[in-house]
Amino acid sequence: MTQITVDAMWTEGRTCPLGIDSDTPHLSWSYGASEQRSLRQKAYRIVVASSQKRLADGCFDMWDSGVVTSRRHTDILYNGVALLPRQLLFWRVTVWDEQGTAAVSDIAWWEMGLRSPENWPGKWIGDPQAAEIGRPLPQFRRSFIVWGAVRQARAYICGLGHYELRLNGHKVGARELDPGWTDYDRTVLYTVYDITHELQQGENAVGVLLGNGFYHVTGGRYAKFKDSFGTPKCLVNLIIDYSNGTSETICTDGTWSVSGSPLLFSCIYGGEDYDARREQPGWDRPYFQPGGEWVAAADAEAPTGMLSAQTAPAITVMKRFDVVAMTEPKPGIFVLDLGQNFSGWPEISVSGPAGAAISLTPAELLTAEGLADQRWTGSPYQLRYVLKGEGLETWRPQFTYYGFRYVQVEGAVPLESSSSGEAMPVLHSLQGQMLYPDVSGAGGFRCSNQLLNRIHEIIGWAMLSNMKSVFTDCPHREKLGWLEQIHLMGPSLMFNYDVEALLSKVMEDMADAQQPDGLIPTTAPEYVVFDKPWDMFRDAAAWGGAYILAGWELLQRYGNDGVLKRHYEGMKRYADYLASRADGCILRHGLGDWYDIGPNGPGFAQNTPVALVETAIYYGLNVVMKNIAGIIGELEDSSMYRERSRQIQTAFNEEFLNYENGMYANGSDAAQAMALAIGLAPEEKHGQVLERLIDGIASRGYQTTAGDVGHRYVLLALARAGRSDLIFRMTQNTETPGYGYQVAHGATSLTEAWDGPTVGKSQNHFMLGHLEEWLYSHLGGLDYRYDPEQGHYVLTVQPNVVGGVDWAEAWCDLRSGRAVVQWTKGEDGRLTVQVHVPVNTEAYIYIPADDLEHITEHNLPISGMRDPELMRYEKGIAVFHTGSGTYAFTSKHESDSLLRNRL
């Protein structure tokens, strides 16, 4: 295909979303794949109408941008007629290339949410008996009549802590653990469902079950903390628009009924207990006759947080795992192995007598006796099911989840082990169900080295396992949104998944968590406040700085500058807060390089002064603030941050750098690497600083001591210095703690500690997964950034060809389209690099080559070519500038060790 075309279209980072509360939604689009070179957008025109017919007829009654000469295609603000609650908008974009050829997109749409409290006529309702000890979790119902043909119907619901919405006997939608976690005193999220086809003529029934979630953590078993924003409650609006033009609203009020549900216990940390004997068949269907357990729902105190439409993707069951092995370590106790560590819940199918109880204990590890081991992950966590005795019964939890690989079953005999004469319940099947947001896959990597491929896989499992409505540190013991991983692992996440909408939600969480003095705490939402003497767990620049750095990555990766404008004042307050805490220009408080490798085991930083790490991050935050301020037009601020950065750099080097030998502080990996990667080291000292970093790693048998914060900068410093060969060698080490060690010792997801499979602790953490960024951007050679001044993406293609890897490929879906890099080393010493650059995107392609004479592109000599354009050749690297299209380079390339010497 040679003509420019429009492919995907996004509104606020989502495709055709229900429930937008923004006055000025941000619109973006990508382009269809094209082989044509240097195909660029020259202009665009966005048109928006209040109906699909009007849009098709050319009546753009909501907005017509006019023809805008620009290459921009991301985050363009709607600038039309004021938007109304529940309004459905249809939009289309026309783009022109530089030859004047036009392409018209398909029609996309978005629908506005309720937007403000006055549009919620209903009341918050709760269980009047909620305070009773032992009271089950509540379930609510109401019957209503549909009087005629329905044009459309929507359900707007917030159920706290979590809810399940049911209509005419069926669950509505596939969402789980909804709504997303927030500081409920600041923000309360609601969800919109299209229920047009769920309604029937005549009587209908709506039901809502509630769970505690993070809204009401009372303990009872394991709990990271105990706190409550209030007892479970819900707010519902069902709005029916009839074909005759009339509308009807069914909302929560005193006409709803409530009873205790079969859910006897529910804790986000401790598990669930469900007694199927308490089920009331038909309670969520029409014509149900409530018994004596049902009473009128009570008015409930509304949460103080502002109602806001949920923007993050729905959490749902995304993967399923069958049992791969079973053991019976003790008589009557069975342990089922699902073969993969993940986060979610087990679903069981059982049969047996009424009143029989089955206990499920999920775990990541097993004890020496082969039993479930929850020592490191929060114990006790248990799931209990009491049978109703009516044939085959299927059950799974609703409002809790856990990280696990194994499930210990007590009180039932697996079908294959049962005998006809046994009275015990029979477990017919058990399936693991993995929960994470329904995010689109946005990238992929693979290479000839199977150990690297396996490392890539276990990092991926950990990222998905800790992706909920926040990015958790682990899916069991804490389940908190620790913030350092948001920016340190941000590029790794964005190479693999489209997380723009989810990260935008996390930005709001950080804004809600910001304190009056400007502090951004280490977790958001901040459910646990760390006071003295543990206040270092609340105030650390590498954690709070995620507010600035994650916003910056949203611009760099998705072209989203709207998030910077919305949060700039909050970012500025945090930068000022750090300045107020600094000793001159040195930050002396915080966590430093958490979980590094030292003599005392993982935990508090041991190898690097806390002040060095915190000040290095402090410097980096001010550099980024300088850039952000410049982009949004705050030029005086930009100059101020530039000067503050200079002062921090000077103070940093005066305090920590030994100018004679190039050693920062005590010369730890983190100290040397952060000075290099963040840009603090004087240029004339780079060689010495790097040499000390390399010597230290090599002296330990190619093992780093860096931890949660420092490790990413170790990889960046080495890769940028042309030492990806050293990184590769580190990954192949299976004898000492590291990636290779984890794989060799059976890890199926990335662990909390470098030696996690043998030392214990969490077996499902993604905080140390920084190698993922290197796999894409350096080994695969694919990196990209959005240029806000020019309004388009710029690819950097720079394959780091290393010994031990014969080929590698990486791809990533940018907002402009899919970028692909593939390289192969031939036995004849030739290197082949194939690159696909999306439409409206530029690329700088770095080809390792012994000389220029042997470089070809699509089998033609490069001499005299204008596309690709040779920019320079130095140190064995030919650098080309290209536009869009597919390029195939071949060069004569010596061994990576000789190339390294040149670099």
Side-chain angles (χ1 to χ4, degrees), residues 502-734:
L502 180 54
L503 275 178
S504 296
K505 184 266 182 188
V506 173
M507 290 292 293
E508 298 298 329
D509 292 338
M510 289 188 276
D512 282 352
Q514 189 167 32
Q515 301 300 297
D517 61 2
L519 166 70
I520 300 289
T522 51
T523 61
E526 191 184 23
Y527 295 132
V528 180
V529 177
F530 296 100
D531 294 321
K532 292 181 178 180
W534 306 106
D535 53 334
M536 78 286 289
F537 280 107
R538 193 184 194 212
D539 186 1
W543 278 253
Y547 190 39
I548 295 169
L549 297 175
W552 180 241
E553 284 295 327
L554 279 165
L555 170 69
Q556 298 281 286
R557 303 293 175 173
Y558 299 112
N560 186 337
D561 61 0
V563 72
L564 301 181
K565 296 172 183 176
R566 284 195 296 274
H567 291 281
Y568 178 72
E569 289 302 320
M571 294 175 176
K572 185 176 177 180
R573 286 177 56 220
Y574 181 62
D576 290 345
Y577 167 79
L578 291 180
S580 74
R581 290 295 313 273
D583 176 11
C585 290
I586 304 296
L587 281 182
R588 302 195 183 278
H589 68 282
L591 285 170
D593 191 21
W594 175 255
Y595 247 67
D596 57 358
I597 297 177
N600 300 322
F604 288 100
Q606 303 170 68
N607 305 312
T608 312
V610 166
L612 184 149
V613 173
E614 297 292 328
T615 304
I617 295 294
Y618 177 42
Y619 169 80
L621 293 175
N622 278 274
V623 171
V624 170
M625 283 299 292
K626 169 186 70 72
N627 295 334
I628 292 173
I631 288 169
I632 68 174
E634 299 288 346
L635 301 185
E636 289 188 11
D637 286 354
S638 183
S639 297
M640 181 269 290
Y641 288 119
R642 178 183 293 107
E643 176 59 20
R644 185 186 290 173
S645 301
R646 186 194 64 76
Q647 293 173 2
I648 297 169
Q649 182 178 22
T650 299
F652 181 88
N653 287 316
E654 288 177 352
E655 174 134 348
F656 299 112
L657 175 60
N658 184 323
Y659 277 83
E660 292 184 4
N661 59 20
M663 178 187 291
Y664 276 92
N666 54 1
S668 71
D669 293 353
Q672 301 300 108
M674 293 184 77
L676 288 168
I678 299 178
L680 285 152
E683 186 174 353
E684 68 274 11
K685 307 301 293 183
H686 280 195
Q688 272 186 307
V689 177
L690 177 65
E691 184 178 2
R692 284 195 167 274
L693 172 62
I694 293 170
D695 289 348
I697 292 172
S699 69
R700 293 185 296 272
Y702 299 96
Q703 178 194 19
T704 183
T705 60
D708 181 17
V709 177
H711 182 249
R712 179 181 182 232
Y713 299 107
V714 169
L715 300 182
L716 289 174
L718 291 174
R720 290 170 180 171
R723 294 309 307 266
S724 280
D725 63 302
L726 188 62
I727 296 173
F728 173 74
R729 191 163 181 175
M730 291 160 63
T731 67
Q732 304 301 292
N733 184 348
T734 60

Side-chain angles (χ1 to χ4, degrees), residues 411-594:
V413 179
L415 181 63
E416 53 268 41
S417 301
S418 65
S419 61
S420 58
E422 282 189 281
M424 285 191 68
V426 174
L427 177 67
H428 293 261
S429 67
L430 185 147
Q431 182 186 73
Q433 299 183 348
M434 185 175 186
L435 297 168
Y436 60 87
D438 188 10
V439 293
S440 301
F445 168 86
R446 65 187 186 121
C447 69
S448 62
N449 184 279
Q450 293 308 308
L451 180 54
L452 287 179
N453 289 337
R454 185 59 185 148
I455 294 169
H456 166 64
E457 290 172 1
I458 68 171
I459 294 172
W461 285 113
M463 288 192 291
L464 289 175
S465 291
N466 285 286
M467 195 185 299
K468 295 296 181 284
S469 55
V470 302
F471 292 95
T472 64
D473 60 328
C474 58
H476 31 60
R477 184 183 71 227
E478 297 201 18
K479 299 180 180 176
L480 298 177
W482 289 93
L483 295 178
E484 89 289 3
Q485 55 198 2
I486 301 301
H487 68 92
L488 293 168
M489 283 294 294
S492 298
L493 286 162
M494 293 182 223
F495 274 124
N496 285 281
Y497 315 108
D498 184 347
V499 292
E500 180 182 9
L502 180 54
L503 275 178
S504 296
K505 184 266 182 188
V506 173
M507 290 292 293
E508 298 298 329
D509 292 338
M510 289 188 276
D512 282 352
Q514 189 167 32
Q515 301 300 297
D517 61 2
L519 166 70
I520 300 289
T522 51
T523 61
E526 191 184 23
Y527 295 132
V528 180
V529 177
F530 296 100
D531 294 321
K532 292 181 178 180
W534 306 106
D535 53 334
M536 78 286 289
F537 280 107
R538 193 184 194 212
D539 186 1
W543 278 253
Y547 190 39
I548 295 169
L549 297 175
W552 180 241
E553 284 295 327
L554 279 165
L555 170 69
Q556 298 281 286
R557 303 293 175 173
Y558 299 112
N560 186 337
D561 61 0
V563 72
L564 301 181
K565 296 172 183 176
R566 284 195 296 274
H567 291 281
Y568 178 72
E569 289 302 320
M571 294 175 176
K572 185 176 177 180
R573 286 177 56 220
Y574 181 62
D576 290 345
Y577 167 79
L578 291 180
S580 74
R581 290 295 313 273
D583 176 11
C585 290
I586 304 296
L587 281 182
R588 302 195 183 278
H589 68 282
L591 285 170
D593 191 21
W594 175 255

Side-chain angles (χ1 to χ4, degrees), residues 231-561:
T231 55
K233 61 196 65 171
C234 66
L235 178 67
V236 180
N237 271 11
L238 305 184
I239 303 181
I240 305 169
D241 297 320
Y242 291 103
S243 298
N244 65 4
T246 62
S247 295
E248 182 179 11
T249 299
I250 311 298
C251 57
T252 42
D253 55 23
T255 65
W256 287 57
S257 301
V258 60
S259 80
S261 74
L263 193 57
L264 304 182
F265 173 82
S266 179
C267 178
I268 193 73
Y269 285 112
E272 284 189 357
D273 293 351
Y274 187 94
D275 188 343
R277 296 172 301 177
R278 291 183 51 83
E279 291 179 352
Q280 302 179 55
W283 75 274
D284 55 354
R285 293 179 180 272
Y287 310 111
F288 175 75
Q289 298 299 317
E293 277 200 31
W294 291 86
V295 298
D299 289 354
E301 184 179 357
T304 59
M306 180 180 296
L307 273 169
S308 179
Q310 184 151 265
T311 59
I315 298 171
T316 186
V317 174
M318 297 294 291
K319 297 183 186 296
R320 301 170 189 268
F321 303 94
D322 294 326
V323 175
V324 299
M326 182 183 71
T327 60
E328 188 178 6
K330 287 186 177 181
I333 299 179
F334 298 89
V335 176
L336 282 59
D337 181 1
L338 295 163
Q340 175 62 52
N341 194 346
F342 65 98
S343 72
W345 51 48
E347 181 181 83
I348 57 173
S349 292
V350 296
S351 63
I358 297 174
S359 174
L360 307 176
T361 305
E364 294 185 320
L365 297 171
L366 300 178
T367 66
E369 298 134 319
L371 298 170
D373 186 356
Q374 293 184 338
R375 285 177 297 165
W376 310 105
T377 54
S379 176
Y381 180 96
Q382 205 163 61
L383 305 168
R384 295 173 181 165
Y385 179 74
V386 178
L387 283 77
K388 58 189 172 185
E390 299 178 5
L392 190 65
E393 306 175 32
T394 299
W395 176 80
R396 50 82 165 171
Q398 291 170 289
F399 306 122
T400 186
Y401 77 102
Y402 205 65
F404 64 103
R405 170 178 172 172
Y406 305 96
V407 181
Q408 181 173 299
V409 180
E410 299 173 70
V413 179
L415 181 63
E416 53 268 41
S417 301
S418 65
S419 61
S420 58
E422 282 189 281
M424 285 191 68
V426 174
L427 177 67
H428 293 261
S429 67
L430 185 147
Q431 182 186 73
Q433 299 183 348
M434 185 175 186
L435 297 168
Y436 60 87
D438 188 10
V439 293
S440 301
F445 168 86
R446 65 187 186 121
C447 69
S448 62
N449 184 279
Q450 293 308 308
L451 180 54
L452 287 179
N453 289 337
R454 185 59 185 148
I455 294 169
H456 166 64
E457 290 172 1
I458 68 171
I459 294 172
W461 285 113
M463 288 192 291
L464 289 175
S465 291
N466 285 286
M467 195 185 299
K468 295 296 181 284
S469 55
V470 302
F471 292 95
T472 64
D473 60 328
C474 58
H476 31 60
R477 184 183 71 227
E478 297 201 18
K479 299 180 180 176
L480 298 177
W482 289 93
L483 295 178
E484 89 289 3
Q485 55 198 2
I486 301 301
H487 68 92
L488 293 168
M489 283 294 294
S492 298
L493 286 162
M494 293 182 223
F495 274 124
N496 285 281
Y497 315 108
D498 184 347
V499 292
E500 180 182 9
L502 180 54
L503 275 178
S504 296
K505 184 266 182 188
V506 173
M507 290 292 293
E508 298 298 329
D509 292 338
M510 289 188 276
D512 282 352
Q514 189 167 32
Q515 301 300 297
D517 61 2
L519 166 70
I520 300 289
T522 51
T523 61
E526 191 184 23
Y527 295 132
V528 180
V529 177
F530 296 100
D531 294 321
K532 292 181 178 180
W534 306 106
D535 53 334
M536 78 286 289
F537 280 107
R538 193 184 194 212
D539 186 1
W543 278 253
Y547 190 39
I548 295 169
L549 297 175
W552 180 241
E553 284 295 327
L554 279 165
L555 170 69
Q556 298 281 286
R557 303 293 175 173
Y558 299 112
N560 186 337
D561 61 0

